[in-house]
Amino acid sequence: MIKKNDVIEITITDISNDGNGVGRFDGVVVFVPYSAIGDVLEVRVLKIAKTVMYGKIERIINASADRIKIDCDVFAPAVGGKTGSACGGCDFRHITYNAELFSKDRFIRDAFTRIGKLNPEFQPIIASDNTEHYRNKAQYPVDGEVTGFYAARSHRIVPHEECKLQPKIFGEIVDFIMLYNLSLRHICIRKGHYSGEINVTLVSYEKNDEFYKIAKLIMENFKEVRGVVLNINKGSNNVILGDEEIVLSGEGDIFDTMCGVKLRISPKSFYQVNTPTAEKLYEVIHEFTEPDGKTILDLYCGIGSIGLSMACKAKEVVGVDRVKSAIENARLNGFENTRFICGDVGDIFNQLSTVNCPLSIILDPARKGCESAVLENVAKLSPERIVMVSCDPATAARDCARLGEHGYKTKRVRGVDMFPRTRHVECVALLVKE
């Protein structure tokens, strides 16, 4: 009988969609973080559940051919080291990028076949051209004099000097801000990939006149910074940004382009974090949507970047979201064949009875996916095509299966690696009416 803290020998044969290696011992599945397919390991058992076990690497007996030298001091604990001592930002800095892509492709295929019970055509996953310093946004938690990123599944901050996922200037700005004794909860930074413009948002429980002085110093020392914003968040939950914003210096928003469309981006705007790869993602969405001469209904449209990127080809673009920024971006680009409805997607279908056909609908919900009522109302509009975009293949597969109950077949699926070195992956699915 295996007990907690026993050491067992296993071979890793797969990677789970949460980034853990998967092996078996006496027929029982064992999950092991920071392992690679092909590893032969001694594993210390940390937890025993009803049908699975969880462990950590005690010793690598034979290393996988996929293993590479780890290039980050806070990526993973040393073999046999303290569990939970690593930063939770990355999952795959210990394996080759090709091995990572292989696993992510498997995540998508498994989600659609196993969870969704679907059998679409799977197209090859699209890689990111850059695996380092690709993010245009970072959120640094602050606890007194300590900042960094959270350890996995915790709110304990792991401090480190340079994150391999963020632009180097982000770390320089954070280091500069931390020289001053400010009462901060978070430091949020975002950068326009093509424009180079940077916004710095300081999140605090309260307003303090000292913030104005520091904001001016930030802009004097970092010429790329277009503006510094103070966000007041007095809440006790995990939400980073509060409702009140004060522009301390410069402008509150930045500008960038995506697929040739100029976009105004606020600190609260949703904007894909990997701009060049997002443009590859949009190419897949365009291919699946076939926008020429159609009305495009862009649900959960955010700042409108997906729909607006099709406005030149579409007959009309109709976007829906709770924020008004898409309307401003349509005006910014001079599009006259666009209209946007500000409201919750679940509440606006009575306003869509005049949507012109032929119709394609794009669904790009948050990670949790779509509510059943939304999917039902989408099907009632009887679009020729539905394109599902998601950063969670599991919820995407679930929602595609639900649309199947309303007469829509999932024809094609393609992954796009928006988030190199992490377990996350974007996918796009095309559904057509049967």
Side-chain angles (χ1 to χ4, degrees):
M1 178 70 68
I2 297 296
K3 304 183 297 300
K4 182 178 178 180
N5 286 322
D6 281 353
V7 175
I8 59 178
E9 182 178 319
I10 63 171
T11 298
I12 302 299
T13 57
D14 202 356
I15 302 291
S16 68
N17 61 8
D18 58 1
N20 290 325
V22 181
R24 289 180 179 273
F25 184 82
D26 284 348
V28 178
V29 171
V30 185
F31 294 107
V32 186
Y34 312 118
S35 56
I37 295 175
D39 275 344
V40 180
L41 307 171
E42 283 186 354
V43 172
R44 185 171 294 277
V45 176
L46 300 179
K47 181 180 177 181
I48 302 174
K50 286 185 178 180
T51 57
V52 299
M53 294 189 288
Y54 300 86
K56 68 172 184 177
I57 298 174
E58 193 74 9
R59 183 169 74 93
I60 299 175
I61 300 171
N62 289 311
S64 164
D66 294 336
R67 279 194 172 271
I68 58 174
K69 183 178 179 181
I70 295 172
D71 59 357
C72 176
D73 291 340
V74 295
F75 164 64
V79 172
K82 182 180 178 182
T83 301
S85 61
C87 168
C90 292
D91 302 282
F92 295 132
R93 302 206 75 86
H94 62 302
I95 60 175
T96 66
Y97 187 46
N98 282 340
E100 176 183 339
L101 289 173
F102 174 82
S103 290
K104 288 181 173 180
D105 198 47
R106 287 273 297 274
F107 297 168
I108 295 168
R109 292 168 184 263
D110 287 351
F112 278 84
T113 56
R114 183 173 52 81
I115 297 173
K117 309 296 186 202
L118 301 168
N119 187 33
E121 172 197 347
F122 290 103
Q123 297 183 331
I125 190 169
I126 295 175
S128 177
D129 289 337
N130 294 311
T131 61
E132 294 190 2
H133 308 300
Y134 63 84
R135 288 185 60 92
N136 59 38
K137 178 183 178 182
Q139 298 171 145
Y140 298 80
V142 180
D143 185 5
E145 297 180 358
V146 178
T147 187
F149 295 102
Y150 289 129
R153 295 174 290 280
S154 84
H155 283 89
R156 181 177 58 81
I157 297 173
V158 177
H160 50 92
E161 294 182 1
E162 180 189 331
C163 175
K164 302 278 186 185
L165 301 186
Q166 325 297 342
K168 292 182 179 180
I169 193 172
F170 283 16
E172 294 169 1
I173 292 172
V174 169
D175 288 344
F176 181 84
I177 294 170
M178 293 301 290
L179 294 174
Y180 301 91
N181 188 23
L182 299 175
S183 176
L184 295 175
R185 299 183 66 173
H186 284 85
I187 301 169
C188 302
I189 308 175
R190 74 187 323 162
K191 178 183 179 182
H193 176 81
Y194 293 110
S195 69
E197 295 179 355
I198 292 176
N199 168 269
V200 178
T201 298
L202 307 175
V203 185
S204 180
Y205 285 101
E206 58 189 3
K207 178 181 175 181
N208 187 311
D209 289 342
E210 185 73 7
F211 287 121
Y212 288 95
K213 174 185 173 183
I214 303 306
K216 184 178 179 181
L217 290 172
I218 292 170
M219 294 196 67
E220 287 175 353
N221 282 271
F222 299 94
K223 301 304 181 185
E224 301 91 337
V225 175
R226 176 180 168 86
V228 181
V229 173
L230 174 64
N231 180 278
I232 306 297
N233 185 357
K234 297 181 180 180
S236 57
N237 54 31
N238 294 333
V239 177
I240 292 175
L241 296 176
D243 294 330
E244 183 181 356
E245 287 185 348
I246 302 164
V247 178
L248 299 172
S249 186
E251 301 293 330
D253 301 337
I254 62 171
F255 291 87
D256 200 21
T257 57
M258 174 84 76
C259 297
V261 176
K262 191 172 184 180
L263 300 168
R264 184 174 190 139
I265 306 161
S266 74
K268 288 186 176 180
S269 293
F270 172 78
Y271 187 53
Q272 296 283 6
V273 299
N274 184 341
T275 306
T277 309
E279 292 180 317
K280 294 183 178 184
L281 171 73
Y282 284 21
E283 289 177 4
V284 177
I285 298 171
H286 288 199
E287 176 191 339
F288 285 9
T289 305
E290 293 188 353
D292 291 28
K294 289 183 181 176
T295 294
I296 306 301
L297 179 55
D298 185 7
L299 302 183
Y300 310 97
C301 70
I303 62 175
S305 57
I306 294 177
L308 292 175
S309 70
M310 300 185 188
C312 291
K313 294 185 176 181
K315 179 178 181 181
E316 182 184 27
V317 173
V318 181
V320 181
D321 209 306
R322 287 178 289 185
V323 296
K324 297 180 179 180
S325 52
I327 300 172
E328 298 168 2
N329 283 321
R331 290 172 181 164
L332 186 64
N333 289 275
F335 292 127
E336 296 182 354
N337 62 334
T338 62
R339 61 186 174 104
F340 291 91
I341 301 169
C342 187
D344 188 274
V345 169
D347 300 330
I348 50 73
F349 284 92
N350 62 335
Q351 301 179 51
L352 299 175
S353 57
T354 59
V355 170
N356 296 316
C357 289
L359 172 66
S360 286
I361 295 181
I362 299 168
L363 292 166
D364 188 11
R367 183 177 296 274
K368 65 180 181 180
C370 300
E371 296 178 357
S372 295
V374 170
L375 298 174
E376 183 176 347
N377 282 313
V378 163
K380 285 180 180 178
L381 290 173
S382 195
E384 289 183 351
R385 290 171 173 243
I386 300 172
V387 177
M388 176 74 66
V389 186
S390 178
C391 60
D392 188 336
T395 57
R398 178 202 67 195
D399 290 347
C400 286
R402 289 175 175 174
L403 285 167
E405 297 170 2
H406 298 285
Y408 282 88
K409 181 179 180 179
T410 304
K411 292 276 288 184
R412 297 202 299 270
V413 175
R414 188 160 204 180
V416 182
D417 187 24
M418 297 281 292
F419 318 101
R421 304 335 237 154
T422 79
R423 65 183 180 275
H424 304 294
V425 63
E426 200 92 7
C427 67
V428 188
L430 167 64
L431 299 94
V432 297
K433 195 170 182 65
E434 291 190 286

